[in-house]
Amino acid sequence: MTIYGKPKVRFVGGDAIHVDFCDEISLDCNRRVHAVYYAILNDLREGRVLDIVEAVPAYSSLTIFYDPRKVRHDSLTSYVSKVFEYVITQPLNELVKPRVFKIPVAYGGEFGPDFNDVLKITKLTAEEFIRIHTSKEYTCYMLGFTPGFLYLGDVDDRIAVPRLETPRTKIPAGSVGIAGKQTGLYGVESPGGWRLVGRTPIKTFDYRRTPPIPIKPGDLIRFYAIDCDEYLKLKDKFVDEVQ
Amino acid sequence: MDHVPTIKVLKSFYSSIQDLGRYGFRALGVPVCGAMDKLSAAYANALVGNDVNEALIEVIGGNFVFEVLRDSLIALTGADSKVTIDNIPVKVWSSVLVRKGSVVVVEPPKRGFITYIAVDGGLDAEVVMGSKSTYVRGGFGGFEGRLLKPGDVLSTKDVRLKSVFKLAGSYEVPNEVVERLPDSNTVLELKATEGMHVDLLGEDFIELLKNVYVVDVSSDRMGYRLKGEPIKKASKLGRLISIPTNRGYVQIPPDGQPIVLMSDAQTTGGYAVALVLTQRSVDVLAQAQPGQRVRFKVVSVEEAEDENAKYLELLGNPPLIFKEGEESYY
């Protein structure tokens, strides 16, 4: 794996600069993405940088969308380089202050239609799988593709299973899945190809709230197992209410 | 200000309430949405004296009929469709005073694909994260987070100012805006910069630029699918690390058939991005009917910035041409 000494910058579309920090999915690299992202948000909040329409972080990269009437790619590139130079001199935990969220999950049965297949592939018992999946805090690498989808990782190698060959067309909100070293949570109903092992009864994404989801890139998630009764008791509570 | 019922939908094929988009929440996975052909939307609003970002109706593929429930100033822009008010043809790209009880019919487009209908005062709609745009897949924004259907009644601010009604028919839209609509007899040229994954495509990138593609019927507000000679290299790339995406990104999935992301684009994606269209080109592509032939033309980043800057200027403040002495109301 390579974390680039200097991020690689690409200019696309005449209104976006795309910054790659490494060429693999790794926590170290992802932390760097988040550090730069939050440094940019700080600058925006305090008016030190203007004319950025939106900054969007992903696993190993960050894209800045800008208004070319006001700023051009060359000056934004020197701005990003400066932010990067600053960020690498700072302790990472100074820039990214993760919040920890506890998320209840009902495993198997109708909540996790792929649970039994996953046990077969991993040769684990249900108890062993649940113990491993709930044993650590996962980092939220990014949110994306659909509203509030959480890309979390890394899972223990023993429960890393490949995604489905044929994606499902409809997955209920709250579904928890696994795809390779990643575990994910569907914020809204959507299509998707992750192997579904369980579902949370709580709402993590509510478009009526601002922000619609309190979990941000870089935050930490810990799952805990619940039974059917608890599932019904917690149904549709917002994630903030059960912390 | 009071709000009054203004439009009753009588027939709808694929229409929704949109504005110019929902910005600032992509880091949380929330797509931008908004009008597909933003310039046409901005002009519809400008013609009735609204802010360019006001909510309006986006009609894809025509087949939209509505009754007007109060005297209104209405403007239709975008596709070249036959539009009638109580069976009398009226011009697109112009505003018209419509009397209470009139029925407006938007027929399937002859040229272009998407029609915008703006009403003075602007449509009431659910504001979600700062925008009235409908995001159908997420079920929020616009009118109950869904497409419009017969029976829906849309309200507006009750403006009915004489000064606004005087706008009826007295302004025109510059020809170069109207004439952006793709011509089905020619190959539509789409301007784009190189994307971030050009290197991964190697020689096949040259092929992509040589090929002529056809807009597929399976296209929607999320992406326009193009059919043509497949880009072979794509099948070997597999899944890339997901990166942020945007309207105008030309993705090459493993089957080698390009997809141009449109207004409801997912916020991140793991397919190779070969090209990124200029914003003006996305607007024009949005107006392409299924079957339209397209090809890509690479421009420099500087050229794309200049074009986008000009486009954004136009979008923010669309210039209208004053036209004197015309019959101004229906």
Side-chain angles (χ1 to χ4, degrees):
Chain A
M1 192 212 55
T2 326
I3 296 185
Y4 307 136
K6 262 181 118 166
K8 289 188 181 175
V9 183
R10 296 254 189 190
F11 315 114
V12 297
D15 58 2
I17 72 172
H18 179 72
V19 190
D20 275 310
F21 291 78
C22 68
D23 61 3
E24 272 193 26
I25 296 176
S26 80
L27 282 171
D28 278 347
C29 171
N30 188 240
R31 280 196 194 104
R32 208 169 267 200
V33 173
H34 293 157
V36 171
Y37 170 65
Y38 287 111
I40 292 173
L41 286 194
N42 273 338
D43 283 352
L44 279 168
R45 205 173 296 126
E46 286 162 30
R48 283 193 293 264
V49 60
L50 302 166
D51 314 322
I52 288 178
V53 174
E54 209 166 354
V56 185
Y59 278 120
S60 57
S61 66
L62 173 82
T63 301
I64 296 172
F65 299 101
Y66 62 94
D67 182 340
R69 283 176 300 177
K70 299 169 180 164
V71 66
R72 294 290 164 116
H73 67 279
D74 38 5
S75 55
L76 264 182
T77 306
S78 36
Y79 164 70
V80 172
S81 311
K82 266 185 230 150
V83 173
F84 184 77
E85 295 303 323
Y86 166 74
V87 160
I88 52 172
T89 64
Q90 302 294 309
L92 282 175
N93 51 6
E94 283 293 308
L95 293 155
V96 185
K97 295 198 169 64
R99 225 181 118 182
V100 183
F101 289 88
K102 290 173 296 193
I103 308 243
V105 177
Y107 287 90
E110 60 166 308
F111 303 122
D114 299 319
F115 190 63
N116 286 337
D117 288 344
V118 170
L119 295 183
K120 261 181 228 151
I121 300 169
T122 58
K123 300 191 178 72
L124 295 167
T125 64
E127 291 70 29
E128 285 167 336
F129 177 90
I130 293 168
R131 187 173 49 73
I132 297 169
H133 193 247
T134 56
S135 67
K136 62 186 277 197
E137 278 170 359
Y138 297 115
T139 299
C140 175
Y141 274 100
M142 60 184 258
L143 293 91
F145 109 96
T146 57
F149 184 93
L150 304 176
Y151 289 88
L152 310 168
D154 291 345
V155 300
D156 190 290
D157 281 331
R158 286 171 291 173
I159 58 168
V161 291
R163 59 174 72 224
L164 295 170
E165 290 206 354
T166 313
R168 289 187 172 86
T169 51
K170 220 176 191 182
I171 289 173
S175 296
V176 174
I178 293 185
K181 297 274 287 172
Q182 307 282 299
T183 181
L185 197 160
Y186 289 83
V188 295
E189 182 186 278
S190 68
W194 295 44
R195 281 186 208 260
L196 307 180
V197 294
R199 198 188 305 162
T200 181
I202 63 168
K203 249 186 193 252
T204 50
F205 184 92
D206 180 357
Y207 71 84
R208 292 178 187 87
R209 296 170 191 256
T210 306
I213 175 166
I215 303 163
K216 298 187 302 299
D219 281 344
L220 300 168
I221 305 291
R222 184 187 275 272
F223 294 117
Y224 64 97
I226 54 166
D227 60 25
C228 241
D229 287 346
E230 289 167 298
Y231 185 95
L232 293 172
K233 242 182 273 168
L234 291 169
K235 186 87 186 104
D236 289 335
K237 284 203 186 308
F238 194 58
V239 57
D240 265 344
E241 301 168 48
V242 298
Q243 296 309 305
Chain B
M1 200 177 292
D2 286 345
H3 292 253
V4 286
T6 300
I7 281 179
K8 184 175 180 184
V9 179
L10 299 179
K11 182 179 165 195
S12 176
F13 169 66
Y14 196 103
S15 59
S16 62
I17 293 183
Q18 299 293 338
D19 58 18
L20 296 183
R22 180 174 287 115
Y23 289 92
F25 297 91
R26 270 185 279 186
L28 303 178
V30 181
V32 175
C33 305
M36 294 278 278
D37 173 4
K38 292 188 189 185
L39 197 55
S40 290
Y43 263 105
N45 275 320
L47 283 165
V48 296
N50 288 347
D51 185 281
V52 290
N53 192 31
E54 193 49 85
L56 39 50
I57 302 173
E58 177 182 273
V59 176
I60 300 184
N63 284 304
F64 189 73
V65 181
F66 62 97
E67 184 187 342
V68 175
L69 306 178
R70 61 140 168 119
D71 290 0
S72 314
L73 184 65
I74 287 181
L76 288 95
T77 63
D80 180 13
S81 285
K82 185 181 174 194
V83 176
T84 61
I85 301 177
D86 293 340
N87 297 316
I88 297 165
V90 294
K91 274 197 287 184
V92 182
W93 294 101
S94 179
S95 61
V96 58
L97 194 54
V98 187
R99 295 296 177 195
K100 180 178 172 176
S102 296
V103 171
V104 183
V105 176
V106 182
E107 294 194 1
K110 290 172 278 193
R111 184 173 166 181
F113 200 46
I114 304 180
T115 306
Y116 291 91
I117 305 169
V119 190
D120 68 285
L123 297 175
D124 294 337
E126 187 182 23
V127 181
V128 175
M129 291 171 248
S131 165
K132 292 179 180 173
S133 287
T134 312
Y135 178 46
V136 174
R137 280 186 174 80
F140 58 77
F143 192 89
E144 297 176 3
R146 60 165 172 82
L147 296 177
L148 298 174
K149 59 184 190 200
D152 289 346
V153 173
L154 313 179
S155 299
T156 55
K157 280 194 284 292
D158 189 8
V159 184
R160 283 190 277 189
L161 286 174
K162 282 222 175 74
S163 60
V164 169
F165 281 7
K166 265 193 211 148
L167 289 171
S170 53
Y171 286 92
E172 275 181 353
V173 174
N175 269 336
E176 61 264 32
V177 175
V178 178
E179 283 161 8
R180 291 172 310 141
L181 295 181
D183 176 355
S184 60
N185 296 315
T186 61
V187 179
L188 174 65
E189 191 178 84
L190 301 168
K191 280 189 196 171
T193 69
E194 291 184 353
M196 41 285 273
H197 299 125
V198 167
D199 300 344
L200 296 180
L201 295 171
E203 293 285 301
D204 280 15
F205 182 67
I206 314 289
E207 291 301 308
L208 177 69
L209 301 182
K210 278 195 212 146
N211 293 345
V212 170
Y213 291 95
V214 175
V215 176
D216 193 65
V217 69
S218 65
S219 300
D220 62 15
R221 278 187 45 90
M222 197 167 164
Y224 275 22
R225 290 172 179 273
L226 305 180
K227 288 279 175 312
E229 198 58 44
I231 300 301
K232 291 182 196 74
K233 195 71 183 273
S235 63
K236 298 189 192 85
L237 294 179
R239 189 173 280 274
L240 307 174
I241 300 176
S242 283
I243 60 166
T245 48
N246 194 25
R247 192 177 117 100
Y249 277 34
V250 182
Q251 293 184 325
I252 315 290
D255 71 0
Q257 305 282 331
I259 300 170
V260 185
L261 299 184
M262 302 302 279
S263 292
D264 282 358
Q266 64 274 28
T267 60
T268 57
Y271 293 143
V273 178
L275 294 156
V276 177
L277 266 54
T278 62
Q279 289 302 314
R280 182 185 183 280
S281 285
V282 186
D283 271 15
V284 175
L285 175 63
Q287 288 289 2
Q289 297 188 2
Q292 173 71 47
R293 288 167 299 156
V294 303
R295 83 152 64 88
F296 300 106
K297 184 190 181 219
V298 172
V299 297
S300 68
V301 172
E302 289 79 5
E303 203 179 324
E305 283 180 328
D306 288 342
E307 194 189 277
N308 284 338
K310 241 171 81 183
Y311 165 85
L312 289 169
E313 199 54 51
L314 211 56
L315 192 65
N317 192 14
L320 293 167
I321 302 161
F322 185 66
K323 184 174 67 170
E324 244 169 313
E326 286 246 343
E327 190 58 39
S328 64
Y329 62 90
Y330 159 73

